[in-house]
Amino acid sequence: INISVFPPSNACIGRYILNMQITSCGHTYQRCLGDFYVLFNPWCADDPVYMDNQAHREEYVLNEHGILYEGVHKHITSRPWHFGQFEDGILDICLKILDMGASYHHGSDRDHCWRNDPVHVSMVVNHMISSHTTSSIMKIPENNDYLKGTKPFSWNGSVPILQQWYNGRCRPVRYGYCGSLASVMCTVMRCLGIPSRVVTNFCFPCSVENPLGINEIFDCTGKNLCGKDKLWRYHCWNESWMARRDLNQCCGDWQCLDPTPLETGRGSSCSGPTWVRSIREGELDLDYDGHHMFSRVNSNYVGWLSQNNAKKTKVFCDTWPCGQHLITKSVGSEQFEDITGAYKYELGSVKNKEAYYRAYRRIHPGYCNASNCHIERELSSLKNPFLSDSGINMRLKMANCPMYGEDVQLHWLLENLRSENKNLKFNLCAQIITYSGCPMDQFWKDSVNVTLGPREVKKIPLCISYSQYGPYLCDHNIMKVVAVSDPECGEVLMVSRDIVINRPPVIVKLLSQPRLKVPCTAEISFCNPLQEDMKNCVMTLEGCGLFKEPMTIDLGTLASNQQARTIVEFTPYRLGSHRLLANFGCHKF
């Protein structure tokens, strides 16, 4: 007997058991034929996750290889990620996540009806990734302290994280960061049949008090002071494709889901799903947490100078930095795709202003009936008239793209826009900044007197040596250089630049072509670029379809300019596109 099962498009996803009942000669027999899984189906036109583009389905459902984008908006770095949604056991782990998160939705799992709705399934998964519950998948380290767990940036893929959570009796894996949280969520969603991708937003504001404003405070030396607000250098979240039946959508579209718990006025929470188009249009009453997502791509950025007498002076106000660059991996390519236009109209355009006014009325209840002119006057009052009228134009330009161990070379460009001389004294400093905007050690300070003739342009070289920044650089590899004028000169001027220090490359070379169940070898090499020894060197390897568990190789100590070479042998155990990921770690990074 051949049996074909055609689950309806509104069937609940999960594991089913197929039984057959046979009645013969007055006797009834039960026989279990086995079990099967029902998932969302983006190939089915009646399914709420239907995606009509085959190339997009291959990228956002079938592709196990991803790329995470990090760094700063002027220097974007990338690293590969192994989603592994088709690895053995991952589907059962994903269904376990729904079981564990069922109480979040209905208080119990007796009623499974919510499992046929991708909106509610995505809410449960979003909540389970890194909530404050005891069964969440990952924890974020507090105060950048992860001595009792795995370094957040050392993970290569989602599979070891999910396996560790499942085998550890569903206790949170320590530790992750926004990139790994969004990537694990992408794995779970793709495994369940929901098209998903990871998005990176550069210059991401996290403000507790003012949802449409972010403040950074500096002292007279240029040091970034730790305040309530944080300007994240980048932040990753998830986008999933589905039709929002709760919004009467008949076709699928991208929905924004952020599994990283962020502080809001109502406490710490995850966001989404939020229709991406509603963020662009400022239609914030349509969605879950729409006002949070709108503010994170449209906030004003204000810098303050704090003086000894506790007086604060506004040194700049910029409406552009927040949410200025949103990117994701391109379809069928290793390059990134800029999707900023999906979240916001071009700055200054009529549609951009209309969306902002619309959102402003919903975020600030006191302005619900205010006119556009009234709101515009309020926004104009944020800007000090002299900020754009100082007569000095400044910027910091990179002279090199520094690798770990190399000196940082900058050009400080100053232009006098006036017809009179300018005599100014500047304080300069460099400080370590985490990706989440937390200021760390200030490791370099200097002061310089600058004289500019009428309409003069001057270029001043700046150099920060590795011996100065090396002992302080942390996993995020980001530093901030600031030049601020001495307040005693009368004019308050400031320019800053975020700098990323590139990690030395790990070179992976396949020595033979991978074939199913045929031994294959690869050579992994790494060279110590520092003028000092690297201690406790470890290489972590992970291969999609190549070996089932991550491999850790202890390299010991690498002397200066020493190159480490390791030959690895493995046997591909399943068909598909293969990729070998290598991550190098030591006491330095």
Side-chain angles (χ1 to χ4, degrees):
I1 300 176
N2 293 323
I3 299 175
S4 298
V5 180
F6 296 95
S9 60
N10 62 348
C12 294
I13 66 169
R15 176 174 171 265
Y16 288 76
I17 298 175
L18 181 62
N19 291 314
M20 182 172 63
Q21 180 176 294
I22 304 173
T23 301
S24 177
C25 301
H27 297 283
T28 299
Y29 306 91
Q30 295 280 351
R31 176 172 294 181
C32 178
L33 300 182
D35 56 11
F36 61 92
Y37 295 86
V38 173
L39 305 175
F40 293 109
N41 186 1
W43 280 263
C44 174
D46 294 329
D47 200 291
V49 301
Y50 173 65
M51 184 174 266
D52 62 357
N53 188 306
Q54 175 61 18
H56 287 192
R57 289 193 294 255
E58 291 178 359
E59 178 66 48
Y60 301 132
V61 182
L62 301 180
N63 192 2
E64 295 184 80
H65 307 310
I67 296 178
L68 299 187
Y69 297 100
E70 301 167 346
V72 297
H73 71 282
K74 290 185 177 180
H75 185 168
I76 298 174
T77 61
S78 64
R79 64 189 186 96
W81 188 270
H82 173 211
F83 292 121
Q85 65 267 32
F86 300 121
E87 292 289 334
D88 291 342
I90 294 300
L91 177 55
D92 289 324
I93 295 175
C94 294
L95 295 178
K96 180 68 173 179
I97 292 171
L98 297 186
D99 293 339
M100 298 295 292
S103 58
Y104 163 73
H105 191 270
H106 274 184
S108 70
D109 200 25
R110 295 175 183 173
D111 185 1
H112 290 76
C113 63
W114 60 272
R115 296 196 184 206
N116 67 356
D117 186 348
V119 174
H120 294 300
V121 168
S122 65
M123 290 174 64
V124 170
V125 175
N126 202 29
H127 171 79
M128 282 294 297
I129 295 296
S130 186
S131 64
H132 293 299
T133 63
T134 56
S135 57
S136 63
I137 296 173
M138 292 198 87
K139 286 293 183 185
I140 297 176
E142 296 182 3
N143 302 319
N144 298 299
D145 179 14
Y146 38 77
L147 295 177
K148 296 181 180 179
T150 302
K151 288 184 177 183
F153 291 86
S154 65
W155 300 104
N156 291 325
S158 305
V159 175
I161 297 172
L162 291 170
Q163 289 176 339
Q164 184 174 328
W165 174 79
Y166 186 76
N167 297 329
R169 298 182 180 181
C170 302
R171 288 191 294 266
V173 176
R174 292 177 167 82
Y175 288 102
Y177 76 111
C178 63
S180 53
L181 300 184
S183 299
V184 169
M185 182 169 186
C186 187
T187 295
V188 176
M189 299 294 272
R190 288 185 182 184
C191 184
L192 297 177
I194 303 175
S196 296
R197 63 188 184 184
V198 178
V199 173
T200 301
N201 172 23
F202 293 92
C203 296
F204 177 88
C206 191
S207 175
V208 176
E209 296 178 350
N210 182 5
L212 284 174
I214 183 78
N215 298 289
E216 281 200 319
I217 304 173
F218 301 85
D219 67 11
C220 295
T221 69
K223 181 180 180 180
N224 191 336
L225 304 178
C226 187
K228 292 182 180 179
D229 293 353
K230 297 289 186 298
L231 182 65
W232 291 36
R233 270 47 195 174
Y234 66 89
H235 181 60
C236 302
W237 62 66
N238 188 271
E239 278 186 2
S240 295
W241 181 274
M242 63 191 75
R244 295 286 298 278
R245 303 291 165 81
D246 56 322
L247 299 181
N248 296 319
Q249 293 179 4
C250 59
C251 299
D253 207 342
W254 289 113
Q255 315 293 328
C256 177
L257 292 140
D258 190 350
T260 303
L262 296 172
E263 291 297 328
T264 66
R266 296 176 296 176
S268 180
S269 65
C270 305
S271 297
T274 306
W275 186 22
V276 171
R277 191 175 301 175
S278 72
I279 299 172
R280 185 180 64 179
E281 302 296 336
E283 297 285 357
L284 308 187
D285 52 353
L286 294 178
D287 263 311
Y288 306 99
D289 306 313
H291 58 293
H292 293 319
M293 295 309 304
F294 182 89
S295 64
R296 289 165 186 169
V297 297
N298 288 283
S299 289
N300 294 301
Y301 173 43
V302 183
W304 300 85
L305 185 67
S306 177
Q307 301 180 35
N308 294 331
N309 57 3
K311 176 186 175 182
K312 289 196 300 183
T313 304
K314 190 182 295 184
V315 289
F316 57 82
C317 179
D318 200 341
T319 58
W320 177 234
C322 299
Q324 63 178 287
H325 210 36
L326 291 101
I327 61 175
T328 188
K329 180 183 177 299
S330 296
V331 175
S333 168
E334 298 292 304
Q335 304 299 315
F336 66 75
E337 176 187 356
D338 192 320
I339 58 171
T340 308
Y343 281 82
K344 56 196 296 186
Y345 289 107
E346 183 179 356
L347 189 69
S349 66
V350 174
K351 289 187 175 182
N352 175 259
K353 290 182 178 180
E354 290 176 348
Y356 194 91
Y357 298 148
R358 198 177 296 122
Y360 198 90
R361 294 187 182 97
R362 287 163 172 80
I363 292 175
H364 298 286
Y367 292 86
C368 59
N369 296 317
S371 66
N372 291 350
C373 295
H374 187 186
I375 297 174
E376 187 61 39
R377 284 196 299 270
E378 289 295 318
L379 296 176
S380 298
S381 67
L382 294 174
K383 302 179 177 66
N384 288 352
F386 70 84
L387 291 177
S388 58
D389 205 27
S390 62
I392 299 289
N393 187 18
M394 298 190 301
R395 64 190 180 104
L396 290 169
K397 184 178 180 180
M398 297 300 300
N400 68 337
C401 189
M403 186 77 67
Y404 208 106
E406 296 179 348
D407 296 345
V408 177
Q409 307 284 347
L410 299 101
H411 289 150
W412 181 20
L413 305 176
L414 301 96
E415 181 182 6
N416 184 2
L417 304 177
R418 299 286 185 249
S419 299
E420 64 270 4
N421 291 333
K422 290 280 188 179
N423 296 301
L424 297 168
K425 179 183 178 182
F426 285 92
N427 296 319
L428 297 95
C429 83
Q431 183 178 9
I432 300 300
I433 299 287
T434 69
Y435 83 97
S436 57
C438 293
M440 307 289 280
D441 298 300
Q442 183 186 41
F443 60 86
W444 176 72
K445 290 193 296 184
D446 199 358
S447 61
V448 61
N449 294 307
V450 178
T451 300
L452 292 172
R455 307 289 179 179
E456 182 183 2
V457 177
K458 185 170 288 188
K459 181 165 66 174
I460 301 175
L462 300 177
C463 178
I464 304 173
S465 67
Y466 168 73
S467 61
Q468 291 173 311
Y469 75 77
Y472 301 95
L473 201 62
C474 54
D475 288 345
H476 317 90
N477 284 10
I478 302 174
M479 69 172 72
K480 188 178 191 69
V481 177
V482 177
V484 59
S485 62
D486 194 317
E488 295 180 358
C489 296
E491 291 181 299
V492 181
L493 306 171
M494 181 175 167
V495 64
S496 65
R497 175 86 185 220
D498 290 337
I499 299 171
V500 177
I501 307 298
N502 292 312
R503 291 173 177 267
V506 178
I507 300 174
V508 178
K509 181 180 179 181
L510 288 175
L511 302 181
S512 57
Q513 185 66 29
R515 296 174 59 190
L516 184 64
K517 297 182 180 180
V518 176
C520 178
T521 56
E523 180 185 82
I524 296 94
S525 59
F526 174 86
C527 183
N528 176 9
L530 308 181
Q531 300 301 314
E532 58 181 296
D533 292 348
M534 283 184 169
K535 301 176 182 178
N536 304 321
C537 298
V538 174
M539 191 81 72
T540 303
L541 306 177
E542 187 172 340
C544 175
L546 301 179
F547 36 87
K548 295 190 176 183
E549 294 184 359
M551 183 183 302
T552 301
I553 302 173
D554 188 356
L555 301 176
T557 299
L558 287 181
S560 175
N561 295 317
Q562 179 183 351
Q563 188 168 29
R565 283 190 177 89
T566 301
I567 302 297
V568 180
E569 185 172 296
F570 49 87
T571 302
Y573 58 89
R574 67 179 174 88
L575 295 172
S577 60
H578 299 128
R579 176 179 292 180
L580 182 60
L581 306 183
N583 199 333
F584 179 84
C586 69
H587 73 298
K588 283 288 183 183
F589 51 84

